[in-house]
């Protein structure tokens, strides 16, 4: 899986990109999930977060799922 850095997840124009599907949102939506993997912040949209909820709660890196 393509790993994204903090800077890549939070775009320069104030938008946030989902590390799962690449969806872009204005700002950081309060319903998106933040995961810190290997010291990097990764945001996941509602759809990706629901799809991988068990892995996220189990603290499994996205490379696993």
């Amino acid at each position: 899986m393509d790993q994204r850095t903090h800077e890549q997840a939070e775009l320069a124009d104030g938008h946030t990109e989902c590390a799962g599907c690449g969806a872009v949102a204005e700002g950081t939506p309060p319903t998106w999930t933040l995961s810190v993997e290997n010291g990097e912040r990764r945001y996941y949209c509602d759809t990706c977060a629901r799809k991988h909820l068990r892995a996220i709660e189990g603290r499994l890196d996205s490379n696993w799922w």
Side-chain angles (χ1 to χ4, degrees), residues 21-33:
C21 68
V24 177
E26 186 174 334
T28 304
T31 57
W32 282 31
T33 300

Side-chain angles (χ1 to χ4, degrees), residues 34-51:
L34 168 65
S35 177
V36 179
E37 300 176 18
N38 300 316
E40 296 179 4
R41 290 179 177 215
R42 296 180 184 198
Y43 292 95
Y44 295 95
C45 68
D46 301 334
T47 302
C48 289
R50 279 190 212 104
K51 184 176 179 181

